[in-house]
Amino acid sequence: SAVISQKPSRDICQRGTSLTIQCQVDSQVTMMFWYRQQPGQSLTLIATANQGSEATYESGFVIDKFPISRPNLTFSTLTVSNMSPEDSSIYLCSVEAEVFGYTFGSGTRLTVV
Amino acid sequence: AQSVTQLGSHVSVSEGALVLLRCNYSSSVPPYLFWYVQYPNQGLQLLLKYTSAATLVKGINGFEAEFKKSETSFHLTKPSAHMSDAAEYFCAVIPTGGYNKLIFGAGTRLAVHP
């Protein structure tokens, strides 16, 4: 299965600032996914990122708040913009490296103060 | 919208006892179903998946799950719990026409005590 490297693993940020999270995969994948896991809760899909096209956002998530880049088939970034304490969560990237074989990164633990 | 419901946010078992974590899906058409485990401060690891082949699916670490269409269930079991099984478990579904998007249940935290 694919191996995902996600950076940073954790960060503490000031409100009003932005953080960019990187996701690097060791193989080429068509679709990459970004999830948010709020404290003590389940995972919610933020958006799906395909190489060469605009990301598709789920209801409740907008591009201005969570801009995503997908410059090639092995890399993607998620930016959390103009952060507030409510953005404190774990952010995870995921790929479908094989049919129905979804692999997750280890996550970025974000605390906004 | 199709979803999964995990019954019991917390389950506690003794070491060596049967582990049963419940998951029901809402769909008239059998979807693709998954069980993931999340250990503290780690990402998600796939335990097993059902993709319309055998209804009894065996996964890693001694876990298995049985797809029961009549009950719209996909419960996760392990005959004998180990201390290392303590973690958060998530049931997930790709709904019909879901374009490969995983939808997660609320999760069940499994505690294993001596």
Side-chain angles (χ1 to χ4, degrees):
Chain A
S1 61
V3 177
I4 298 175
S5 174
Q6 191 172 334
K7 297 179 182 179
S9 59
R10 61 179 67 242
D11 207 341
I12 300 173
C13 300
Q14 297 290 324
R15 68 176 66 198
T17 63
S18 298
L19 175 71
T20 296
I21 302 168
Q22 299 180 2
C23 182
Q24 178 76 52
V25 191
D26 68 346
S27 59
Q28 294 184 338
V29 294
T30 302
M31 301 177 75
M32 297 182 75
F33 306 88
W34 287 98
Y35 287 84
R36 180 177 73 182
Q37 186 177 22
Q38 295 178 297
Q41 298 190 28
S42 186
L43 285 79
T44 302
L45 182 63
I46 297 172
T48 302
N50 290 335
Q51 192 268 337
S53 63
E54 294 286 329
T56 302
Y57 289 82
E58 297 299 305
S59 176
F61 297 96
V62 295
I63 187 171
D64 289 347
K65 176 67 176 177
F66 298 101
I68 289 171
S69 77
R70 183 77 201 276
N72 56 53
L73 291 174
T74 64
F75 188 79
S76 177
T77 67
L78 169 75
T79 298
V80 186
S81 303
N82 188 25
M83 289 183 287
S84 67
E86 292 70 34
D87 294 318
S88 297
S89 296
I90 301 172
Y91 293 86
L92 301 103
C93 72
S94 174
V95 303
E96 185 185 19
E98 57 188 52
V99 178
F100 301 121
Y102 296 90
T103 303
F104 285 79
S106 56
T108 296
R109 284 151 183 80
L110 170 63
T111 301
V112 183
V113 297
Chain B
Q2 294 172 348
S3 63
V4 289
T5 301
Q6 292 184 241
L7 298 176
S9 59
H10 291 81
V11 171
S12 181
V13 300
S14 300
E15 190 174 21
L18 171 71
V19 175
L20 171 60
L21 304 181
R22 301 177 186 274
C23 174
N24 288 87
Y25 65 90
S26 62
S27 173
S28 59
V29 177
Y32 301 122
L33 293 157
F34 306 77
W35 275 100
Y36 282 86
V37 61
Q38 186 178 36
Y39 297 103
N41 298 315
Q42 295 188 28
L44 272 72
Q45 182 181 11
L46 178 67
L47 283 174
L48 48 82
K49 60 185 176 183
Y50 168 77
T51 56
S52 72
T55 56
L56 181 61
V57 182
K58 294 187 182 298
I60 62 172
N61 301 339
F63 285 94
E64 64 181 37
E66 186 172 7
F67 174 78
K68 292 187 176 181
K69 183 178 178 181
S70 61
E71 299 177 6
T72 61
S73 68
F74 190 58
H75 301 333
L76 181 71
T77 61
K78 182 174 180 178
S80 177
H82 192 273
M83 297 295 288
S84 61
D85 294 326
E88 187 88 18
Y89 291 80
F90 294 97
C91 183
V93 63
I94 297 178
T96 307
Y99 305 103
N100 297 352
K101 296 188 299 186
L102 277 173
I103 307 299
F104 285 86
T108 297
R109 182 167 298 276
L110 175 66
V112 182
H113 52 85

